[in-house]
Amino acid sequence: MANIRTIIIEDDHFNVLAVTKIIQNQFPEIIIVDTASMVNEAIEKINEHQPDLLLMDIHLIGGTSFDVIKQINYRDFKIVFMSAYHEYAVKAIEYAAVDFVFKPFDINDLVVAIDKAIDQMQDKQYALKIKTLFNNIDFELNQIILHGRDSLKAFKISDIVWAQAIAGGAEFHLSDNSSFIATKPLRRYEAILSDHTFFRCHPFNLVNLLHINTIDSTANTIHMLSGATVALENRRYNQLNELLQIQKEYVQTF
């Protein structure tokens, strides 16, 4: 592989030195073409150097790395984010399925993240991940990337009616009555979906509260607006009812 042109975007000088040393010791194919600590500086240097890889802290002088991404013209790169906080930014990154290393970082964690970024240099699906990140950059976290058997696909979370755990992954049922089979387990997506309007109604099922039509407490089933019938665990009935009531009251206030 040709040399990988890299920019370190980090406002802590000692972290820049630490990352530089790790790269020099572990990645002879990586060339650090520049560093930046400020938002405006980072924008200028990315557009100038057009790097293959960005190693970015979230919090910078003058703003965040998301401010940088929104304003750059050149976007054909891989990203590894590094930060100790900004939970909302971590969430955005999770939606886009790009890499994140917590600081203070373990050397092995950073090495693995960079290795993964290098592997993705040939990954045509990576463009979809970056596109989703750009779409979510204003923290309108309304999309999720699902890993299929042969591809990745982005979906609006509001279009997911319900999801069920299946052997080897999870099946997502959509508002247009289509479905998508993901190869990762449902629990991998639950943390993201639960931040929206999803509820674990059964050990194997998640439902979108906005798509519920009625609940049959006798049959322990949920009838969705799409016509689907989803199993409901009896002990979760009261909690689901409470959530639906809260949702109803919230909607009525607007």
Side-chain angles (χ1 to χ4, degrees):
M1 177 180 288
N3 289 330
I4 299 170
R5 296 162 53 80
T6 301
I7 297 179
I8 301 173
I9 300 174
E10 164 69 70
D11 65 345
D12 186 316
H13 178 65
F14 292 103
N15 281 335
V16 172
L17 294 178
V19 173
T20 299
K21 185 174 182 180
I22 291 170
I23 288 175
Q24 290 173 342
N25 290 337
Q26 301 286 338
F27 298 97
E29 69 271 41
I30 290 180
I31 296 177
I32 300 172
V33 295
D34 219 328
T35 64
S37 60
M38 298 182 291
V39 168
N40 291 341
E41 179 187 23
I43 294 168
E44 179 182 337
K45 291 185 175 182
I46 292 171
N47 287 333
E48 175 188 352
H49 293 293
Q50 300 189 356
D52 304 301
L53 175 65
L54 298 179
L55 303 178
M56 303 184 77
D57 185 13
I58 297 292
H59 189 267
L60 304 172
I61 299 172
T64 71
S65 58
F66 292 90
D67 297 320
V68 174
I69 293 173
K70 283 190 289 186
Q71 298 179 63
I72 55 179
N73 298 320
Y74 179 78
R75 292 181 172 179
D76 187 15
F77 48 71
K78 309 298 177 280
I79 305 175
V80 173
F81 287 97
M82 309 174 293
S83 186
Y85 52 101
H86 276 277
E87 184 176 351
Y88 62 88
V90 177
K91 189 71 66 177
I93 294 162
E94 289 175 347
Y95 277 65
V98 294
D99 290 303
F100 188 92
V101 178
F102 286 99
K103 293 195 300 186
F105 50 77
D106 179 86
I107 292 177
N108 288 334
D109 289 342
L110 183 59
V111 169
V112 168
I114 294 174
D115 267 332
K116 189 184 298 184
I118 292 173
D119 288 342
Q120 289 173 330
M121 296 288 178
Q122 304 301 320
D123 182 3
K124 295 180 180 179
Q125 296 295 330
Y126 195 87
L128 174 61
K129 301 176 187 179
I130 293 298
K131 181 180 179 181
T132 302
L133 175 60
F134 291 150
N135 289 341
N136 289 332
I137 212 69
D138 291 321
F139 309 116
E140 295 292 335
L141 302 180
N142 57 4
Q143 294 190 63
I144 186 170
I145 286 187
L146 301 181
H147 298 69
R149 291 190 179 97
D150 302 312
S151 64
L152 301 174
K153 191 169 182 181
F155 293 93
K156 286 186 177 180
I157 290 176
S158 60
D159 287 340
I160 299 174
V161 176
W162 69 289
Q164 64 183 135
I166 60 174
E171 184 171 7
F172 290 79
H173 301 269
L174 308 173
S175 56
D176 63 359
N177 290 319
S178 66
S179 64
F180 184 87
I181 295 178
T183 56
K184 294 185 181 297
L186 186 59
R187 65 177 180 274
R188 292 285 296 273
Y189 302 104
E190 183 175 5
I192 295 174
L193 295 175
S194 294
D195 282 349
H196 291 263
T197 54
F198 282 78
F199 174 71
R200 173 75 79 161
C201 63
H202 185 277
F204 297 134
N205 301 328
L206 285 174
V207 291
N208 188 337
L209 301 180
L210 298 178
H211 286 274
I212 290 178
N213 186 14
T214 60
I215 303 174
D216 186 337
S217 58
T218 303
N220 288 331
T221 55
I222 302 169
H223 299 285
M224 311 302 290
L225 293 171
S226 65
T229 299
V230 182
L232 169 65
E233 192 174 33
N234 184 58
R235 67 184 181 88
R236 303 178 196 239
Y237 172 78
N238 289 336
Q239 186 181 1
L240 176 57
N241 247 342
E242 291 174 5
L243 288 173
L244 289 173
Q245 184 59 38
I246 292 171
Q247 174 189 299
K248 181 179 179 181
E249 293 172 356
Y250 177 81
V251 171
Q252 288 176 345
T253 61
F254 291 90

